[in-house]
Amino acid sequence: MARRPLPRILSSGTTSLARGRDLARTAADSATDVLHPLLVIGRGLRILAASGRRRWSQTPKDKRGPALFLGAACVLVVALVPYGPLLALITLMAAAAWHGRDRTPAKTGPSDAETERLGSLYEALVPYFSIPEDPSPLFAHGGEWDKALSGYEFDEAGRITRLHIRYPAYFTDGEATSRARIEALLHAKSGRGREYLFDWDEEGNQLDLRVLAALPTGIAAQPFVTSPGETVLGFTDAGGVQRTLPVLEGDEPRDVPPVIWRTGPRSSEPHLLAVGQPGSGTSTLLRNIALQALRHGGDVLIVDGGGSGEYSCLSGRCGVLAVECGPTGAQATLEWAAQETERRLIATHRAREAGRPAPEDTRRPLWILLDQPSVLAHLAVAEGGPDLLTQLQVPLRHGRPAHVTVVVAEQFGHLELLHDAIWQHTRARVVLGPAAIQQIADVLGLPPHTTPTAQVPPGRGYARLGTGPVHRLQVPATPDPYDEATHPAYRQAVLELLPGRLAAGGGGRRDQGAPGKTLQGQPPVQGPALDAPGIPEVPAEAS
């Protein structure tokens, strides 16, 4: 038996039907929005009519006649009063709108699933917040959780996003280990994979838990609105700092709270140490610092211990004195940096003795950026040479009055190779990438108030300036512009911030005694001469 062909409207495909359904749904939604007041009034009139019919049915038969007479008298009075019918109509419409409004009952408590989650969390806290000697324990198995847990909020998945906990006064909240156990338990019971902030009120015996929103990762390197001596390390939470910066995230302007590191003679944290795992963003941080230093007229020395060419984009640029990736060149560069620091100190001292301001060349900032210097130090020692990290002692100890800033980036596995001088004088610290709480505390001196997550974007970590608090940090995206695997917009942003290249004859803002070697194809650097033009000779008694 032959099959009967389908009607044309069904065999022409589903595109027209889907488009028609979308148009019909859009028209229905628009009509509902336009007619919403009429629908509310109609629903109110229906409710009033049903209420009136119910009252009439409940009225005894012997009283219906007087009720009708009273109603007719009221209608007559309203009809005779000026503007009476209009006022009566307005009153009726207002009453209908009031009774026809949406009266969906507001949520006044947790749902069954949320109640079960809060109860299980309460039971899990009982062993930590109770002792047998307590006559009326706040936490007890089978107790009432609403006396200890309040201020709860949940997300769409039913997980806790905010919680207020009252705990007994005998809990040892002053001990870091006790607090760490509670934080680990709450982190596990409230949902892993998120970052929580724990705010302990030791005076009031209260703990606030809330989930932190992710820091913005779409902010690229750009000219930040800062003063000379201020360096933007990254961005943090709004409650952590009292300042915001206007930035562009993509093409949209917004104000974000920055972590600003202040350097110079009056800085209490003149040098910085950044630690992380491979791929965590320490090289990105150093590139970001170098671009900001060059923008404010500073001179930059770069020692790339990784040897991966991450800083080749800065080679030969105005203000970049050298980019070294070998032990010999790094040794010569750091020797020059130590002598330059001494020269600046002596020139400044002589100017002050003579009652004159410090020379201009001693007030221009000099930045020494070292990425994984332990690798080059190991190679130098293996080749029979001196440890190049010993040359950092002079810039670290005396760099602040000489406008010399040292930034060291190292990996967790090589921290034991760093000298004590680096640990002692780098009071500004940054930890990037995934790390345990104890690792973060060992570098920053304090554990973070949040729970680190295992999966974080590059440039994400924590920062602490001196003895200040620990801030969450997201470094601006500053990739190698020659790396085609990175985002084109971020690469273009870095290229726009790079200064111009030096002239072919070697012109530019470079000191005559500064090291002149850059990457690829340049001859090895010889030791810089202190009697070169433009640099005063250092007396023998000062060396």
Coordinates of all heavy atoms in Angstrom, one line a residue, residues 227-230 289-300 318-321 344 360-367 403 497 499 509-511:
S227 N 51.0 57.4 40.2 CA 52.1 58.4 40.4 C 53.4 57.7 40.2 O 53.5 56.5 40.4 CB 52.0 59.1 41.7 OG 50.7 59.8 41.9
P228 N 54.5 58.4 39.9 CA 55.8 57.8 39.9 C 56.1 57.2 41.3 O 55.9 57.9 42.3 CB 56.7 59.0 39.6 CG 55.9 59.9 38.8 CD 54.5 59.8 39.4
G229 N 56.6 56.0 41.3 CA 56.9 55.3 42.6 C 55.8 54.4 43.0 O 55.9 53.7 44.0
E230 N 54.7 54.4 42.2 CA 53.6 53.5 42.5 C 53.5 52.4 41.4 O 53.5 52.8 40.2 CB 52.2 54.2 42.6 CG 52.1 55.1 43.8 CD 50.8 55.8 43.9 OE1 50.0 55.8 42.9 OE2 50.4 56.3 45.0
I289 N 55.6 44.8 35.8 CA 56.4 45.7 36.5 C 57.4 46.5 35.6 O 57.6 47.7 35.8 CB 57.1 45.0 37.7 CG1 56.1 44.5 38.7 CG2 58.1 45.9 38.4 CD1 56.8 43.6 39.8
A290 N 58.0 45.8 34.7 CA 59.0 46.4 33.8 C 58.3 47.5 32.9 O 58.8 48.6 32.8 CB 59.7 45.4 33.0
L291 N 57.1 47.2 32.4 CA 56.4 48.1 31.6 C 56.0 49.4 32.4 O 56.1 50.5 31.8 CB 55.2 47.5 30.9 CG 55.5 46.4 29.9 CD1 54.2 45.8 29.4 CD2 56.3 46.9 28.7
Q292 N 55.6 49.2 33.6 CA 55.2 50.4 34.4 C 56.5 51.2 34.8 O 56.4 52.4 34.8 CB 54.5 49.9 35.6 CG 53.1 49.3 35.4 CD 52.4 48.9 36.6 OE1 52.0 49.8 37.4 NE2 52.2 47.6 36.8
A293 N 57.6 50.5 35.1 CA 58.8 51.2 35.4 C 59.3 52.0 34.2 O 59.8 53.2 34.4 CB 59.9 50.3 35.9
L294 N 59.3 51.5 33.0 CA 59.7 52.2 31.8 C 58.8 53.4 31.5 O 59.2 54.4 31.1 CB 59.8 51.3 30.6 CG 60.8 50.1 30.7 CD1 60.6 49.2 29.6 CD2 62.2 50.7 30.7
R295 N 57.5 53.2 31.8 CA 56.6 54.3 31.6 C 56.8 55.5 32.5 O 56.6 56.6 32.0 CB 55.1 53.8 31.7 CG 54.1 54.8 31.6 CD 52.7 54.2 31.6 NE 51.6 55.3 31.6 CZ 51.1 55.8 32.7 NH1 51.4 55.4 33.9 NH2 50.2 56.7 32.6
H296 N 57.3 55.3 33.7 CA 57.6 56.3 34.6 C 59.1 56.8 34.5 O 59.5 57.5 35.4 CB 57.3 55.9 36.0 CG 55.8 55.8 36.3 ND1 55.0 56.8 36.2 CD2 55.1 54.7 36.7 CE1 53.7 56.4 36.5 NE2 53.8 55.1 36.8
G297 N 59.8 56.4 33.5 CA 61.1 57.0 33.2 C 62.2 56.3 34.0 O 63.3 56.8 34.2
G298 N 62.0 55.0 34.4 CA 63.1 54.3 35.0 C 63.9 53.5 34.1 O 63.6 53.3 32.9
D299 N 65.1 53.0 34.6 CA 66.0 52.2 33.9 C 65.8 50.7 34.4 O 65.6 50.5 35.6 CB 67.4 52.6 34.0 CG 67.7 53.9 33.3 OD1 67.0 54.2 32.4 OD2 68.6 54.7 33.8
V300 N 65.9 49.8 33.5 CA 65.6 48.4 33.8 C 66.7 47.5 33.4 O 67.2 47.6 32.3 CB 64.3 47.9 33.2 CG1 64.0 46.5 33.5 CG2 63.1 48.8 33.6
C318 N 64.4 51.6 24.6 CA 64.8 52.7 25.4 C 64.5 52.5 26.9 O 63.4 52.2 27.3 CB 64.1 54.0 24.9 SG 64.6 54.5 23.2
G319 N 65.6 52.7 27.7 CA 65.4 52.5 29.1 C 65.8 51.1 29.6 O 65.9 50.9 30.8
V320 N 65.9 50.1 28.7 CA 66.3 48.8 29.1 C 67.8 48.7 28.9 O 68.3 48.7 27.8 CB 65.6 47.7 28.2 CG1 66.0 46.3 28.7 CG2 64.0 47.9 28.3
L321 N 68.5 48.6 30.1 CA 70.0 48.6 30.0 C 70.5 47.3 29.5 O 71.6 47.3 28.9 CB 70.5 49.0 31.4 CG 70.0 50.3 32.0 CD1 70.7 50.6 33.3 CD2 70.2 51.5 31.0
R344 N 75.9 55.9 43.4 CA 74.8 56.8 43.7 C 74.8 57.3 45.1 O 74.5 58.4 45.4 CB 73.4 56.1 43.4 CG 73.2 55.9 41.9 CD 71.8 55.3 41.7 NE 71.5 55.1 40.3 CZ 70.3 55.1 39.8 NH1 69.2 55.3 40.6 NH2 70.0 55.0 38.5
E360 N 70.8 64.4 39.2 CA 69.6 63.9 38.5 C 69.8 62.4 38.2 O 68.9 61.6 38.3 CB 69.4 64.6 37.2 CG 68.2 64.1 36.4 CD 66.9 64.4 37.0 OE1 66.8 65.3 37.9 OE2 65.9 63.6 36.7
D361 N 71.0 62.0 37.8 CA 71.2 60.6 37.5 C 71.2 59.6 38.7 O 71.0 58.4 38.5 CB 72.6 60.4 36.8 CG 73.8 60.8 37.6 OD1 73.5 61.5 38.6 OD2 74.9 60.5 37.3
T362 N 71.3 60.2 39.9 CA 71.1 59.4 41.1 C 69.7 59.2 41.5 O 69.3 58.4 42.4 CB 71.9 59.9 42.2 OG1 71.4 61.2 42.6 CG2 73.4 60.0 41.9
R363 N 68.8 60.1 41.0 CA 67.4 60.1 41.3 C 66.5 59.3 40.3 O 65.3 59.2 40.5 CB 66.9 61.5 41.6 CG 67.4 62.1 42.8 CD 66.8 63.5 43.1 NE 67.5 64.5 42.3 CZ 66.8 65.4 41.5 NH1 65.5 65.3 41.4 NH2 67.4 66.3 40.8
R364 N 67.1 58.9 39.2 CA 66.3 58.2 38.2 C 66.2 56.7 38.7 O 67.2 56.1 39.0 CB 67.0 58.2 36.9 CG 66.1 57.6 35.8 CD 66.7 57.9 34.4 NE 68.0 57.3 34.2 CZ 69.1 58.1 33.9 NH1 69.0 59.4 33.9 NH2 70.2 57.5 33.7
P365 N 65.0 56.2 38.8 CA 64.9 54.8 39.4 C 65.6 53.8 38.5 O 65.6 53.8 37.3 CB 63.3 54.6 39.3 CG 62.8 55.9 39.3 CD 63.7 56.8 38.5
L366 N 66.2 52.8 39.2 CA 66.9 51.7 38.6 C 66.2 50.4 39.1 O 66.2 50.2 40.3 CB 68.4 51.7 38.9 CG 69.2 50.5 38.4 CD1 69.1 50.4 36.9 CD2 70.6 50.5 38.9
W367 N 65.7 49.6 38.2 CA 65.0 48.4 38.5 C 65.9 47.2 38.1 O 66.3 47.1 36.9 CB 63.7 48.4 37.8 CG 62.7 49.4 38.3 CD1 62.7 50.7 38.0 CD2 61.6 49.2 39.2 NE1 61.7 51.4 38.6 CE2 60.9 50.4 39.4 CE3 61.0 48.1 39.8 CZ2 59.8 50.6 40.1 CZ3 59.9 48.2 40.6 CH2 59.3 49.4 40.7
H403 N 67.5 54.8 45.1 CA 66.5 54.6 44.1 C 66.7 53.4 43.3 O 66.5 53.4 42.1 CB 66.4 55.9 43.2 CG 66.0 57.1 43.8 ND1 64.6 57.5 43.9 CD2 66.7 58.1 44.5 CE1 64.6 58.7 44.6 NE2 65.8 59.0 44.9
L497 N 52.5 49.2 24.8 CA 53.2 49.8 26.0 C 54.7 49.8 25.8 O 55.4 50.4 26.6 CB 52.8 49.0 27.2 CG 51.3 49.2 27.6 CD1 51.0 48.3 28.9 CD2 51.0 50.6 28.0
P499 N 58.4 50.7 24.9 CA 59.0 52.0 24.5 C 59.7 51.7 23.1 O 59.9 50.6 22.7 CB 60.0 52.3 25.6 CG 60.3 51.0 26.2 CD 59.0 50.2 26.1
R509 N 68.5 56.9 26.3 CA 68.7 57.3 27.7 C 69.5 56.2 28.4 O 69.1 55.7 29.5 CB 67.4 57.5 28.4 CG 66.6 58.7 28.0 CD 65.4 58.8 28.8 NE 65.6 58.6 30.2 CZ 65.3 57.5 30.9 NH1 64.9 56.5 30.2 NH2 65.5 57.4 32.1
R510 N 70.6 55.8 27.9 CA 71.4 54.8 28.6 C 72.7 55.4 29.2 O 73.4 56.2 28.5 CB 71.8 53.7 27.6 CG 72.7 52.6 28.2 CD 73.1 51.6 27.2 NE 72.0 50.9 26.7 CZ 72.1 49.8 25.9 NH1 73.3 49.5 25.4 NH2 71.0 49.2 25.4
D511 N 73.0 55.1 30.4 CA 74.3 55.6 31.0 C 75.4 55.0 30.2 O 75.4 53.8 29.8 CB 74.4 55.2 32.4 CG 73.4 56.0 33.3 OD1 72.9 57.0 32.8 OD2 73.1 55.5 34.4

